[in-house]
Amino acid sequence: MQILRQIHARILTHVPPISSVSFLISKILSFAALSPFGNFDYARKIFSQIPNPGIFAYNSVIRGCLYTKIPSKEPIHLFKDMVGKGYPNPNTFTMAFVLKACSIIMALEEGKQIHAQILRSGFSSSPYVQSSLVNFYSKCEEITIARKVFDEITERNLVCWSAMVSGYARLGMINEALIMFREMQVVGIEPDEVSLVGVLSACAMVGALDIGKWVHAYIKKRMIHVDLELNTALINMYAKCGCIEKAREIFDEMRVKDSKAWSSMIVGLAIHGLAEDALNVFSRMEEAQAKPNHVTFIGILSACAHGGLVSDGKRYWSSMLELGIEPSMEHYGCMVDLLCRGGLIDEAYDFALIIPTPDPVIWRTLLVAYTKNRMLQKAEMVAGKLLELEPWKAENYIILANLYASVSQLEKVSHVRKMMKENGIKALPGCTSIEVDGFVHNFVTGDWSHPEAEEIKKTLRDVALKILISGYKPFVSVVLHLVNDEEKENVLYEHSERLAIAYGLMKTKAPATIRIVKNLRVCGDCHEVTKIISKIYDREIIVRDRVRFHKFVNGTCSCKDYW
């Protein structure tokens, strides 16, 4: 930049013919805006001093905005300024750069307006613009529109395919992402790191370990370059699919690790309840002089919470503040959870009071803790704050009703049910996925639409008989329906994790591990039942719920019955 400034000064002081000046200034602008050694503020200043910027100048600044640390609407404003002036006419590069800007900040409405401009300008047949449109709509999670644009493209490039794979993956549409991934190979498009990261992310989301392993083998077989992002995606996939040892193996083999890789490993260990291991990795991270970020400390504080390491958690909280990391609501939530799990519930409440504008998660964590300890008066006080913030969230009412049920205040349980009914509040249905033979099967509580529903019912009856013989008694208090106890037991048998586990027992043989992923916390009854099933059927069952992993082996769970 120092040399560039000297050249810039030379041009301005020697004043050659104006056309030459315009050309040279645009080149200086391009370097300042786009080079890794440039200075975008300098580029902005140059641009503001050009009387009639040309298309090259506009494109340079719009594209340069994409590499700034803080995404903004500046590229969109520049584009509007260009169109408003009527000169110069934007080209395909302009459209592609602005669409990328829209995708970064998920500016859906502005992107749609640019799409309309593309159609009016006749650029819709440009492969560069088409792939940018697919990428834009998939990043904005408008996957149906992205697919429509994709289907209209006659010659699809790698960018289009990767955008669709990543788009489906981002929305958790794992089977669609995998179908797209296989189709791109059929037509001879070699997947790149972007599409592979997309597939691995999808596998991580739904716990599709077998598919994730296949992708890993594919990477090795094709000798695809594994960069930091792809390695981190592999660590994340194995950790979230319940194979924490494999995740650790990949992590240990990495020669170069950035903060994201360290953080992924720490978070992975934390959600598996391996608190000491997570803290050891953090110590190694400090020794390697890698700079921890906000995700690192979410993992560390979460690990301390799950491990009951209250004093360690407090120490790391202080370390985070000393490093100048501004606590997010997730950090505050981890600390409240840490104190609650450590039995310091009143201290957790006092801590919540110093949080600037506590969110519902904070109050819900406290409500769960007070409920577990049957501290009725304080629970009701916290529930009041929670219902003020989230009067329409069913989970809040369910926790409160469970509290009243646990202390046998059935009139108040009925009152909570009545409130839910009058306000039209319905509980979010439990949904659990299980991967079998490379396909992800989804089960919803009480939904018998699966093609093998009858076989699943038969397996469930067999399971129910065996667990009853073992001495199991259903926790009917967790069911809020206005039905008798027998009907409540039937509701419990239809919980989504029961359906998924039954399907796993049907389709796999011992000693294969059954792995399932649930969208909600595992209820107390299903947790107890899963422990019994693991012992009776001699099967290891790994459950990832909304909070953490549960590893059931021989009648015990890795969470030690606290989750």
Side-chain angles (χ1 to χ4, degrees):
M1 278 305 300
Q2 185 179 355
I3 298 169
L4 188 80
R5 285 190 178 98
Q6 293 172 6
I7 297 170
H8 189 194
R10 180 84 173 173
I11 293 168
L12 295 177
T13 54
H14 282 67
V15 195
I18 191 67
S19 60
S20 300
V21 170
S22 299
F23 174 76
L24 292 169
I25 293 295
S26 67
K27 287 295 183 182
I28 288 171
L29 170 66
S30 176
F31 179 91
L34 303 175
S35 170
F37 309 103
N39 183 319
F40 192 66
D41 288 333
Y42 193 77
R44 277 197 188 102
K45 190 173 181 180
I46 295 171
F47 183 78
S48 67
Q49 294 171 354
I50 301 174
N52 294 302
I55 187 72
F56 185 79
Y58 266 108
N59 284 353
S60 295
V61 180
I62 289 172
R63 190 180 180 192
C65 291
L66 305 178
Y67 303 121
T68 55
K69 289 183 179 179
I70 303 173
S72 70
K73 285 192 173 184
E74 186 177 355
I76 301 169
H77 295 320
L78 285 165
F79 178 76
K80 287 181 178 177
D81 179 63
M82 180 196 299
V83 174
K85 288 179 178 177
Y87 173 82
N89 292 321
N91 59 23
T92 55
F93 292 103
T94 319
M95 299 299 191
F97 297 152
V98 180
L99 281 170
K100 186 172 182 180
C102 292
S103 72
I104 291 171
I105 60 173
M106 295 185 75
L108 180 61
E109 290 308 313
E110 289 89 341
K112 284 183 174 179
Q113 291 171 26
I114 292 162
H115 190 179
Q117 179 77 11
I118 287 166
L119 295 172
R120 286 194 296 269
S121 304
F123 293 139
S124 57
S125 60
S126 163
Y128 197 44
V129 171
Q130 288 172 333
S131 58
S132 297
L133 280 167
V134 174
N135 181 63
F136 159 70
Y137 282 117
S138 67
K139 288 275 179 69
C140 290
E141 300 184 353
E142 291 286 339
I143 201 67
T144 305
I145 305 176
R147 185 58 192 257
K148 187 175 184 297
V149 176
F150 177 85
D151 288 341
E152 290 171 356
I153 301 172
T154 52
E155 295 184 15
R156 300 169 187 130
N157 58 24
L158 176 58
V159 175
C160 294
W161 286 98
S162 295
M164 286 305 304
V165 170
S166 300
Y168 280 128
R170 196 175 296 107
L171 291 170
M173 301 171 71
I174 177 67
N175 293 322
E176 290 82 356
L178 293 169
I179 289 168
M180 187 67 66
F181 181 68
R182 288 166 185 146
E183 283 180 2
M184 71 185 286
Q185 294 171 70
V186 170
V187 298
I189 301 289
E190 284 286 331
D192 63 350
E193 290 87 347
V194 175
S195 53
L196 291 168
V197 166
V199 175
L200 289 169
S201 299
C203 293
M205 198 178 294
V206 297
L209 178 63
D210 289 344
I211 301 167
K213 282 181 174 179
W214 182 87
V215 173
H216 192 186
Y218 178 89
I219 291 167
K220 289 180 177 178
K221 184 180 178 182
R222 297 286 179 140
M223 292 186 288
I224 294 169
H225 171 65
V226 181
D227 59 10
L228 261 172
E229 190 173 3
L230 190 50
N231 250 329
T232 304
L234 283 166
I235 292 167
N236 189 48
M237 182 275 292
Y238 278 115
K240 289 188 175 176
C241 288
C243 277
I244 193 64
E245 289 307 321
K246 185 64 179 177
R248 195 180 337 217
E249 179 187 316
I250 293 168
F251 176 78
D252 289 339
E253 288 174 355
M254 290 175 68
R255 293 181 181 178
V256 179
K257 303 177 180 77
D258 63 358
S259 296
K260 192 175 178 182
W262 285 103
S263 300
S264 292
M265 190 69 251
I266 290 167
V267 170
L269 291 164
I271 60 176
H272 279 269
L274 300 169
E276 294 291 346
D277 292 353
L279 301 190
N280 287 337
V281 171
F282 183 68
S283 296
R284 287 169 55 195
M285 181 180 185
E286 290 181 311
E287 289 169 9
Q289 297 184 334
K291 189 177 179 181
N293 56 30
H294 72 285
V295 177
T296 316
F297 280 100
I298 287 171
I300 284 295
L301 294 173
S302 177
C304 291
H306 289 303
L309 308 174
V310 177
S311 58
D312 286 317
K314 289 180 177 180
R315 179 164 53 84
Y316 286 117
W317 175 265
S318 298
S319 298
M320 183 182 78
L321 298 180
E322 287 169 10
L323 287 169
I325 297 175
E326 188 73 25
S328 67
M329 204 53 68
E330 284 182 283
H331 294 119
Y332 286 120
C334 286
M335 280 302 290
V336 171
D337 188 35
L338 169 77
L339 295 169
C340 286
R341 288 173 184 272
L344 305 173
I345 309 174
D346 288 336
E347 186 178 337
Y349 178 79
D350 292 339
F351 184 86
L353 295 179
I354 67 168
I355 299 172
T357 322
D359 73 353
V361 175
I362 303 293
W363 297 117
R364 192 157 39 248
T365 302
L366 284 164
L367 179 58
V368 169
Y370 282 133
T371 298
K372 282 183 178 291
N373 290 274
R374 299 185 181 183
M375 301 168 74
L376 182 61
Q377 188 176 355
K378 291 181 177 178
E380 287 181 323
M381 176 183 64
V382 169
K385 294 178 182 293
L386 181 57
L387 292 175
E388 278 180 23
L389 293 172
E390 283 186 337
W392 305 110
K393 193 172 181 71
E395 184 181 1
N396 302 332
Y397 294 90
I398 292 168
I399 296 169
L400 186 58
N402 286 340
L403 166 67
Y404 290 136
S406 69
V407 294
S408 301
Q409 295 201 9
L410 301 184
E411 286 186 10
K412 288 188 176 181
V413 174
S414 297
H415 177 65
V416 173
R417 289 173 179 155
K418 186 179 178 183
M419 287 171 63
M420 292 179 71
K421 189 174 182 180
E422 286 176 352
N423 292 317
I425 299 168
K426 293 183 179 180
L428 179 70
C431 180
T432 303
S433 62
I434 182 171
E435 179 202 19
V436 176
D437 296 330
F439 192 85
V440 177
H441 299 260
N442 292 303
F443 294 93
V444 177
T445 297
D447 181 4
W448 294 102
S449 60
H450 193 278
E452 298 175 84
E454 291 306 314
E455 291 89 339
I456 294 170
K457 286 181 181 178
K458 183 178 181 301
T459 303
L460 277 172
R461 285 194 292 269
D462 293 340
V463 170
L465 181 61
K466 288 181 179 179
I467 62 175
L468 283 172
I469 292 171
S470 74
Y472 154 77
K473 291 183 180 179
F475 300 179
V476 293
S477 63
V478 302
V479 181
L480 296 184
H481 301 296
L482 291 170
V483 292
N484 60 41
D485 282 357
E486 185 178 345
E487 289 172 312
K488 286 183 179 182
E489 289 179 28
N490 291 333
V491 171
L492 290 171
Y493 290 144
E494 295 181 357
H495 275 194
S496 62
E497 56 265 61
R498 305 272 186 101
L499 305 183
I501 290 171
Y503 193 72
L505 291 170
M506 277 171 52
K507 293 295 182 179
T508 64
K509 302 295 181 186
T513 301
I514 295 173
R515 302 171 191 274
I516 63 173
V517 176
K518 189 180 180 183
N519 65 330
L520 306 172
R521 284 178 185 255
V522 173
C523 77
D525 186 75
C526 288
H527 192 270
E528 188 64 26
V529 165
T530 309
K531 287 199 295 184
I532 298 168
I533 291 173
S534 73
K535 186 171 184 178
I536 293 173
Y537 288 85
D538 193 23
R539 299 291 288 273
E540 181 178 300
I541 303 172
I542 296 178
V543 180
R544 190 180 96 203
D545 72 4
R546 195 182 66 192
V547 178
R548 59 165 294 159
F549 271 91
H550 301 261
K551 186 176 181 179
F552 298 90
V553 180
N554 195 30
T556 63
C557 179
S558 59
C559 77
K560 299 175 184 175
D561 297 341
Y562 194 109
W563 69 96

